[in-house]
Amino acid sequence: MKTSLSDPRVIRTCSQLRDSLMMLVAEKSFAYLTIQDVTKRAGLNRTTFYLHYTGLHELLEDCAWTLFDQMRESIYANKPVDYSQNTSQLEPFVESVFRHLEEHEKFYRAMLGKQGDPFFRGLFQEFLSELIFEPILLKATSKDPDLQLDMALRFFSAGFTEIASWWLDTGMPIPIEQASRQIIRDILPGYLRLVHDRG
């Protein structure tokens, strides 16, 4: 972004552009969107757009991190737990992810689905890794991550991302609580075993 976010006018304009992009991707594939589509929906002109962003992917990245900050706040609002003896203690954290996805269902379905954007999907996977899987790794071992743990981190983050995509694409066929419970029961234990065995 080219301009300072401390100016209220900049904050308002960027918010308008983010909101427009999020509405449009629910209607039309991101790959086919143009800057004109976004500015027209926002009631702004191209010159204004270029005062803040160099292109649509920069705007998309701004959207992503704005949403991810909201997700982080939601997850950290949960009370810290000791999951070493009982992994079910992590369920509220996973539920927070699904509730965030549900809140922005149309946008995430469009961006994480088969017709979505690989750049956004990579950002989402990286964020999940940072928010859920890396903290477990850092808590469980004082060693620097080795290649096996790094591979596991990527594998499980990608798996979680794929489940999120499937859940949205299929119309959220199971309740948030059930989806979270299955991740805690079927996915996280394998990751935790690898981490503790290498710790």
Side-chain angles (χ1 to χ4, degrees):
M1 238 176 294
K2 299 178 179 179
T3 50
S4 170
L5 287 177
S6 60
D7 187 330
R9 292 169 300 179
V10 172
I11 295 172
R12 183 171 60 253
T13 299
C14 290
S15 178
Q16 285 177 265
L17 290 168
R18 286 193 303 268
D19 289 347
S20 297
L21 179 66
M22 289 181 66
M23 287 187 288
L24 284 167
V25 296
E27 304 167 9
K28 181 179 179 180
S29 171
F30 178 78
Y32 297 105
L33 283 181
T34 65
I35 290 171
Q36 184 177 353
D37 291 331
V38 174
T39 54
K40 183 178 179 181
R41 178 65 63 93
L44 301 168
N45 57 48
R46 288 176 67 91
T47 302
T48 301
F49 180 94
Y50 284 116
L51 286 173
H52 305 287
Y53 303 99
T54 59
L56 285 181
H57 268 100
E58 189 172 3
L59 173 58
L60 176 61
E61 186 169 6
D62 189 25
C63 281
W65 292 114
T66 299
L67 287 171
F68 296 165
D69 283 343
Q70 293 173 16
M71 194 194 305
R72 181 185 283 109
E73 287 180 14
S74 174
I75 287 175
Y76 285 160
N78 291 297
K79 183 180 178 181
V81 296
D82 179 7
Y83 55 82
S84 57
Q85 301 300 318
N86 183 5
T87 57
S88 67
Q89 302 262 355
L90 288 170
E91 279 186 34
F93 297 86
V94 177
E95 285 181 15
S96 294
V97 174
F98 280 101
R99 293 195 192 286
H100 175 81
L101 293 172
E102 182 183 48
E103 183 180 353
H104 303 283
E105 171 195 352
K106 292 181 180 178
F107 175 78
Y108 278 114
R109 183 189 297 138
M111 297 308 295
L112 291 176
K114 293 177 182 177
Q115 303 302 316
D117 183 73
F119 173 74
F120 180 85
R121 192 181 183 92
L123 287 177
F124 183 81
Q125 184 175 321
E126 176 186 326
F127 183 72
L128 281 182
S129 172
E130 172 197 323
L131 201 60
I132 294 179
F133 293 96
E134 287 181 20
I136 291 173
L137 176 62
L138 293 173
K139 184 174 180 179
T141 177
S142 59
K143 297 179 182 178
D144 292 332
D146 58 22
L147 288 176
Q148 184 176 356
L149 288 180
D150 191 41
M151 288 172 64
L153 184 68
R154 293 172 185 275
F155 177 82
F156 285 100
S157 300
F160 198 141
T161 301
E162 186 59 33
I163 288 171
S165 174
W166 164 84
W167 188 70
L168 292 166
D169 269 345
T170 54
M172 301 181 290
I174 58 175
I176 286 172
E177 294 80 7
Q178 183 181 344
S180 303
R181 195 157 47 247
Q182 286 189 227
I183 284 176
I184 294 298
R185 187 188 65 197
D186 300 331
I187 295 177
L188 277 181
Y191 181 66
L192 289 167
R193 278 194 301 273
L194 274 173
V195 168
H196 288 116
D197 287 349
R198 304 289 291 184

